[in-house]
Amino acid sequence: MHSVLRAPAGGATRTALRRLTSSSTPRTIARAAPLALQQQQSLSSRRSYATSTPQEAARAGVIRILSKIGSKREIQQYLAQFSSVSSPQFAVIKVGGAILTDHLDSLCDALQDLYAMELYPVIVHGGGPQLNKLLNDAGVTEQYEEGIRITDGKTLAVARDLFLRENLKLVEALNNRGVRAVPVNSRVLMADYLDKEKYQYVGDITHVNKAPIESAIKQRALPILTSMAETVDGQVLNVNADVAAGEIARALEPLKVVYLSEKGGLFNGTTREKISAINLDEEYDGLMKEPWVKYGTRLKIKELKKLLDDLPRSSSVAIIHPDHLQRELFTDSGAGTLIRRGNKLHMATSLQGLGDTEKLKQVLVRDREGLDANAVVERYVKGLSQRPFKAYYDDQMETLGIVLPPQGSSTIAHLATFTVTKSGWLSNISDNVFQNLKKDFPRLMWTVDQKDENLTWFFDRADGSVSKGGEVLFWYGIEKPQEVVELMAEFTQNGRRMFGDINLESQLRRAADYATSLRGNRQYTTSAHPAAMQSSFAARSPRNAFQSRARPGASLLAASAGSAFAPRTYATTTNPNPPYGIKHKSNDVPSKVALIGARGYTGQALIDLLNRHPNMDLRHVSSRELAGKKLQGYDKRDITYENLTPDDVRRMAERGDIDVWVMALPNGVCKPFVDAVDQSEKGRESLVVDLSADYRFDSSWTYGLPELVDRATISNSKRISNPGCYATAAQVGIAPILDLIGAEPTIFGVSGYSGAGTKPSPKNDVANLTGNLIPYSLTDHIHEREVSAQLGRQVALIPHVAVWFQGIHHTISIPLKSPATSRQIRQLYQDRYAGETLISITGESPLVKNIAGKHHVEVGGFAVHSSGNRVVVNVTIDNLLKGAATQCLQNMNLARGYGEFEGIPGV
């Protein structure tokens, strides 16, 4: 595949926290990015700006800040696009009166970013809520006719004073931040009376005088307009702010028209979900027939269609909350509702139906001249005439997808070609085409080069994937494990060649490799900008009833099959190089497991999980106290407890009897057993997972917290130290805002008495605990050191034990460097853990009684002190499951090549 770009630019770092936290849950953003892309970004991030001008440094600083809400590739891409037009054509932003009252800081933060990036949107604001209040306070009864406010002389006078005051408030707020803004309040919106007798001083805009707007922008200032118009003889008239913004947009023809709304978008009246994107050419007629599209919603959609019909096809409308303006402008996923005219799509089942064959060949070649591409495409097109296919494309073939229906006994279709131009990505056609072909083919497979800059776009549309040799096999709709296993096995053995000559990408690669062998150096690449971009980083909200918005970034040519067992759940990692397919390695061979130290509660919980696992074969269970007794709760085979010594373990390891050793021993006891495994070559090749704290500070071991540690590292490890229960919950509760912490966090933790183990003590004596709360290790607890070491900064942990059996509750008090709101903090956590199967974010404080027996971590609360400088986060976890046994199984699955959540019930 090959690819192209678009882009925008950035602001000042003193408001980094606000801008950083102003992101909403994105529509569809994958977690993973190719290693090459990550490395390039890493190199890019180390560039020195010492020789930059102050303005360039500010711009670069904002880009770095905005990269927190998306990828640097996205930020640069959109900046390039926005910078490619004249300044007045960048964006028109309509600001409602409620935004000026309740969200002024967020608005100014976002505008400050744009200003630093030398982007100058035209701001049009209203003041409806403020006007209503003033009129009510003055005893003036509001009157409306057909939804239009009747504006008499007194109302007009109040409105004019109010709008000018609000205008000045916004201008001053921006100027105080170093953003040059100027009021543009006269001779811009020219109007006649709408109906003087009926509405009195209400205007009907007849003309927009662009000169004052353009003059302000030439002076590098943001033009701030009110929704007041004038007649030719100077009479001021009231006009609706939405109407004013629309008319200004018609005059300026901007790339973006943004309506800031407290709701943050349009919502499907049936599902109550936010509508991610609307392609009017494809969806308008059907949308207007929906029973919930009525009243104000119907009017708004009709008016937006009329507006977009008058604008260039490249223009779009976004309805967005002010907190999320940066995400809407600078990320592929956006945050609100994106509305475009889109393109009419077509479908053909023959070469004749596709029309001009020469044009088709040019589309398939795209930018591949010089690599024998023309000859390859010639043969490929000829092959299409001899087999059934369905092609999906727009009028200009900016996007072309060719699907080969299932043949013979197969029920899986093959996406053999998917080629998109830069314009096709930017105008959302790629998503529209993919959605259309998906309706016809519920089971589909395809392949993509792992270096392709748009790889995450395909991850978003797949149920599973597996990678091999620089290629990634994707699929959706394949639910039977056996089908997946067979598909993966064939791909692992043959790669794209498994699809023969039906895969254009495979043919082009072979042709290029052959040409390279003749020339002595490889010149073929699947990217027009190889490894030039980074995929988005944060999670997306659930898909709604409408299409997902396209991921811009390149023209590409995809081909061929695949995927993996469970749906992808790639996670944010501290090492930003999550591997592809690691949760779905092609391993269906059972693993022989030995559990050393199985008497404790954790050992019992792990035995239960292993009993459910299709590929974990428990062979030995060691417990000195239970030796000779039959193991209960394991149904796959009869097992009797043994009292295995290190010598026994050494002999078993030498024979290769065991694939996975799980050490469920007390702290300080594990080493002789690990040493025994390490004494033989076969033993060193086996996997050891230690549940104690013995190796959590050993750099030669991998710390196995999959949600925060690079899964690739875990996948490739033979020695894994399982995190502690308190430590897992604490790290999950702190990691998303680690960079924002101002001083040492304090963790007040309370565990059920199962955390005190099975050996009798006052800490697990129910009679002693009843009506009681027992603190222990008030300082320097082992988990305190563990959390501090993993997070890279000191924390204080104060553990307690209570009368319930299992489950931990953390109350974490975190000082902040800069003020933040509860909503901003919560959004950071939602973005950080979106897509993580075993982490749940809730607005309320989670309850420990609801986590017992569950396999996930729950995070909530997010209460911010009135100063804005301290946040309190609550975390709950089952100490025996995700705090120990469940996490152990995750690590075993990753390291042994099974699905990460295989054997975990309810996942």
Side-chain angles (χ1 to χ4, degrees):
M1 295 186 215
H2 60 297
S3 305
V4 213
L5 307 176
R6 82 172 175 179
T13 55
R14 65 186 177 87
T15 52
L17 176 60
R18 293 196 191 100
R19 296 198 297 278
L20 169 59
T21 56
S22 66
S23 56
S24 83
T25 303
R27 272 165 234 168
T28 310
I29 305 181
R31 295 285 189 176
L35 178 59
L37 306 188
Q38 297 281 1
Q39 289 172 334
Q40 172 140 351
Q41 189 195 27
S42 175
L43 290 172
S44 170
S45 67
R46 293 197 293 267
R47 288 177 53 197
S48 171
Y49 294 94
T51 59
S52 301
T53 66
Q55 191 170 24
E56 289 172 337
R59 178 181 175 126
V62 171
I63 292 174
R64 289 195 298 272
I65 292 169
L66 290 179
S67 295
K68 299 288 187 178
I69 65 170
S71 70
K72 191 167 184 178
R73 186 266 302 173
E74 291 173 287
I75 310 306
Q76 297 283 12
Q77 191 177 20
Y78 285 88
L79 178 57
Q81 183 202 17
F82 294 151
S83 300
S84 68
V85 299
S86 64
S87 291
Q89 289 182 304
F90 161 46
V92 172
I93 300 177
K94 183 264 176 175
V95 180
I99 303 301
L100 293 177
T101 300
D102 300 330
H103 303 281
L104 182 61
D105 282 345
S106 294
L107 173 63
C108 291
D109 286 344
L111 295 179
Q112 183 179 2
D113 284 346
L114 300 180
Y115 183 79
M117 293 185 283
E118 301 179 54
L119 296 174
Y120 306 99
V122 178
I123 313 300
V124 187
H125 70 81
Q130 299 95 314
L131 180 58
N132 292 339
K133 185 178 186 306
L134 288 175
L135 293 175
N136 289 335
D137 292 345
V140 177
T141 303
E142 301 171 57
Q143 298 181 62
Y144 289 86
E145 185 71 33
E146 298 177 2
I148 299 174
R149 185 197 300 271
I150 296 175
T151 306
D152 58 16
K154 183 175 182 179
T155 300
L156 180 65
V158 173
R160 184 179 184 186
D161 289 345
L162 169 69
F163 289 175
L164 292 176
R165 195 162 58 245
E166 292 296 297
N167 186 272
L168 183 60
K169 180 175 75 173
L170 178 55
V171 169
E172 289 181 343
L174 289 169
N175 286 331
N176 288 338
R177 294 167 179 261
V179 177
R180 189 176 181 202
V182 296
V184 182
N185 292 323
S186 62
R187 313 305 290 177
V188 176
L189 300 176
M190 309 307 296
D192 288 335
Y193 290 92
L194 180 61
D195 186 331
K196 190 171 184 180
E197 183 177 341
K198 186 174 184 179
Y199 299 113
Q200 300 187 45
Y201 295 103
V202 174
D204 179 19
I205 297 174
T206 58
H207 173 67
V208 175
N209 179 16
K210 299 188 292 183
I213 298 173
E214 292 171 341
S215 176
I217 292 175
K218 285 179 182 178
Q219 299 173 49
R220 298 181 180 273
L222 301 187
I224 312 297
L225 287 69
T226 66
S227 55
M228 302 294 285
E230 297 174 59
T231 64
V232 291
D233 56 4
Q235 174 61 55
V236 175
L237 299 175
N238 185 22
V239 294
N240 178 275
D242 284 352
V243 173
E247 292 303 320
I248 292 171
R250 286 182 171 91
L252 298 177
E253 297 188 342
L255 286 174
K256 282 277 190 180
V257 183
V258 180
Y259 291 88
L260 297 183
S261 161
E262 286 195 300
K263 290 185 178 180
L266 294 178
F267 288 78
N268 185 305
T270 301
T271 65
R272 305 298 179 188
E273 292 180 338
K274 185 187 295 180
I275 300 171
S276 175
I278 299 175
N279 175 5
L280 291 172
D281 281 1
E282 282 289 305
E283 301 178 45
Y284 179 76
D285 292 339
L287 191 58
M288 298 305 282
K289 294 176 184 177
E290 292 284 344
W292 56 269
V293 179
K294 53 188 178 182
Y295 311 131
T297 301
R298 188 178 189 86
L299 178 62
K300 183 179 287 291
I301 294 173
K302 288 179 67 174
E303 289 300 317
L304 292 178
K305 184 180 187 304
K306 286 171 59 178
L307 172 60
L308 286 171
D309 284 344
D310 293 337
L311 296 178
R313 191 169 287 275
S314 57
S315 296
S316 63
V317 170
I319 302 173
I320 189 69
H321 191 281
D323 285 350
H324 309 147
L325 180 59
Q326 296 105 319
R327 185 178 290 283
E328 179 61 38
L329 291 176
F330 295 110
T331 67
D332 297 339
S333 60
T337 299
L338 178 75
I339 304 171
R340 293 182 181 272
R341 286 173 63 190
N343 296 75
K344 282 289 185 183
L345 301 183
H346 307 278
M347 190 273 290
T349 56
S350 67
L351 291 179
Q352 293 75 18
L354 281 166
D356 187 347
T357 303
E358 291 306 312
K359 178 181 178 181
L360 172 63
K361 293 175 184 177
Q362 292 173 13
V363 169
L364 292 174
V365 171
R366 295 292 191 204
D367 300 318
R368 297 166 181 270
E369 291 86 352
L371 298 173
D372 199 28
N374 288 298
V376 172
V377 168
E378 184 78 32
R379 294 191 295 271
Y380 183 77
V381 171
K382 183 177 180 180
L384 286 177
S385 66
Q386 301 170 5
R387 59 167 55 94
F389 69 87
K390 277 192 177 183
Y392 301 79
Y393 57 98
D394 60 288
D395 286 327
Q396 302 302 317
M397 284 197 177
E398 301 284 354
T399 298
L400 169 65
I402 297 177
V403 180
L404 304 178
Q407 292 184 332
S409 60
S410 174
T411 59
I412 308 170
H414 170 217
L415 178 59
T417 305
F418 196 75
T419 177
V420 189
T421 65
K422 172 182 177 179
S423 175
W425 289 109
L426 297 180
S427 58
N428 199 37
I429 306 172
S430 54
D431 256 342
N432 297 337
V433 167
F434 197 89
Q435 291 295 329
N436 271 267
L437 65 87
K438 190 172 183 179
K439 293 175 185 176
D440 293 340
F441 296 99
R443 291 158 58 84
L444 188 71
M445 58 186 177
W446 68 96
T447 60
V448 181
D449 191 287
Q450 191 165 352
K451 292 181 181 179
D452 191 276
E453 59 203 15
N454 294 280
L455 193 65
T456 55
W457 189 90
F458 293 100
F459 270 109
D460 289 339
R461 282 143 190 84
D463 289 341
S465 64
V466 63
S467 63
K468 177 186 180 292
E471 299 168 347
V472 184
L473 173 67
F474 292 101
W475 69 89
Y476 66 71
I478 306 175
E479 298 178 354
K480 293 182 180 179
Q482 187 57 38
E483 285 186 276
V484 175
V485 170
E486 292 172 359
L487 184 65
M488 291 168 64
E490 188 174 0
F491 179 73
T492 300
Q493 182 175 353
N494 301 307
R496 282 188 175 131
R497 291 177 181 268
M498 66 185 277
F499 303 106
D501 65 348
I502 65 175
N503 187 304
L504 179 57
E505 185 73 9
S506 179
Q507 292 185 49
L508 287 167
R509 177 182 287 277
R510 291 201 300 271
D513 287 345
Y514 178 70
T516 298
S517 69
L518 297 179
R519 289 192 297 265
N521 65 313
R522 181 177 176 85
Q523 297 181 5
Y524 176 81
T525 176
T526 60
S527 296
H529 306 276
M533 303 178 198
Q534 159 103 19
S535 60
S536 306
F537 194 70
R540 93 153 71 174
S541 60
R543 295 178 175 89
N544 52 49
F546 297 88
Q547 301 172 25
S548 299
R549 177 167 162 199
R551 181 180 302 280
S555 103
L556 45 80
L557 182 58
S560 179
S563 194
F565 273 98
R568 282 173 7 268
T569 51
Y570 290 113
T572 302
T573 59
T574 52
N575 181 332
N577 296 316
Y580 295 103
I582 60 173
K583 285 194 262 320
H584 308 299
K585 295 178 184 175
S586 51
N587 182 13
D588 58 354
V589 178
S591 294
K592 297 169 288 186
V593 180
L595 179 56
I596 311 299
R599 178 175 180 269
Y601 296 124
T602 297
Q604 294 299 313
L606 183 58
I607 289 168
D608 181 63
L609 292 175
L610 296 176
N611 191 41
R612 302 168 184 265
H613 200 292
N615 289 311
M616 292 294 181
D617 182 10
L618 186 59
R619 294 294 184 92
H620 297 273
V621 179
S622 176
S623 169
R624 181 166 52 88
E625 292 87 347
L626 300 176
K629 295 184 178 180
K630 181 177 172 54
L631 173 65
Q632 302 296 321
Y634 190 76
D635 304 325
K636 297 180 183 179
R637 65 174 67 244
D638 289 334
I639 295 179
T640 300
Y641 284 101
E642 305 169 75
N643 181 17
L644 296 175
T645 67
D647 283 340
D648 295 329
V649 168
R650 177 180 52 77
R651 286 189 290 270
M652 293 164 62
E654 287 173 348
R655 295 192 300 265
D657 291 349
I658 299 299
D659 301 308
V660 182
W661 302 88
V662 179
M663 305 297 176
L665 296 163
N667 292 346
V669 181
C670 183
K671 189 176 186 302
F673 293 91
V674 173
D675 289 345
V677 175
D678 286 342
Q679 287 176 17
S680 65
E681 182 177 349
K682 289 183 179 179
R684 288 190 292 273
E685 285 302 307
S686 63
L687 171 66
V688 179
V689 181
D690 178 26
L691 301 186
S692 77
D694 289 7
Y695 294 95
R696 290 175 191 159
F697 305 95
D698 188 331
S699 61
S700 66
W701 283 56
T702 295
Y703 188 77
L705 209 171
E707 290 78 9
L708 296 178
V709 174
D710 184 3
R711 284 178 162 96
T713 303
I714 298 173
S715 178
N716 295 320
S717 295
K718 298 296 185 182
R719 299 294 181 265
I720 299 174
S721 179
N722 214 59
C725 50
Y726 275 112
T728 295
Q731 290 175 71
V732 168
I734 296 174
I737 57 173
L738 191 61
D739 292 339
L740 310 180
I741 296 175
E744 182 178 279
T746 299
I747 307 159
F748 180 87
V750 185
S751 171
Y753 65 84
S754 62
T758 57
K759 184 178 180 179
S761 79
K763 296 173 185 175
N764 57 21
D765 183 342
V766 175
N768 184 51
L769 289 169
T770 301
N772 200 5
L773 182 67
I774 300 177
Y776 60 96
S777 295
L778 296 182
T779 62
D780 299 309
H781 188 274
I782 186 67
H783 287 316
E784 179 179 271
R785 187 158 67 95
E786 179 182 346
V787 175
S788 299
Q790 292 299 321
L791 293 180
R793 67 174 305 136
Q794 187 62 43
V795 302
L797 171 64
I798 310 171
H800 295 68
V801 63
V803 73
W804 62 80
F805 178 66
Q806 66 191 99
I808 289 175
H809 179 98
H810 276 336
T811 296
I812 309 174
S813 178
I814 307 171
L816 300 173
K817 291 178 182 177
S818 304
T821 67
S822 173
R823 180 174 180 173
Q824 289 170 336
I825 296 295
R826 178 181 175 184
Q827 191 65 57
L828 277 178
Y829 281 78
Q830 287 175 328
D831 285 354
R832 185 70 155 84
Y833 294 129
E836 281 295 353
T837 302
L838 298 185
I839 298 181
S840 174
I841 307 299
T842 175
E844 302 298 321
S845 293
L847 301 178
V848 72
K849 70 176 183 179
N850 295 333
I851 202 69
K854 304 295 176 55
H855 297 272
H856 65 282
V857 184
E858 204 160 293
V859 187
F862 308 113
V864 174
H865 187 265
S866 57
S867 67
N869 292 322
R870 179 170 61 88
V871 63
V872 176
V873 178
N874 292 132
V875 186
T876 59
I877 189 173
D878 188 309
N879 53 296
L880 302 181
L881 297 179
K882 178 56 178 168
T886 302
Q887 191 144 263
C888 175
L889 189 58
Q890 280 181 270
N891 289 319
M892 293 166 67
N893 281 332
L894 287 169
R896 293 296 296 167
Y898 307 125
E900 180 178 342
F901 308 109
E902 196 76 63
I904 302 174
V907 177

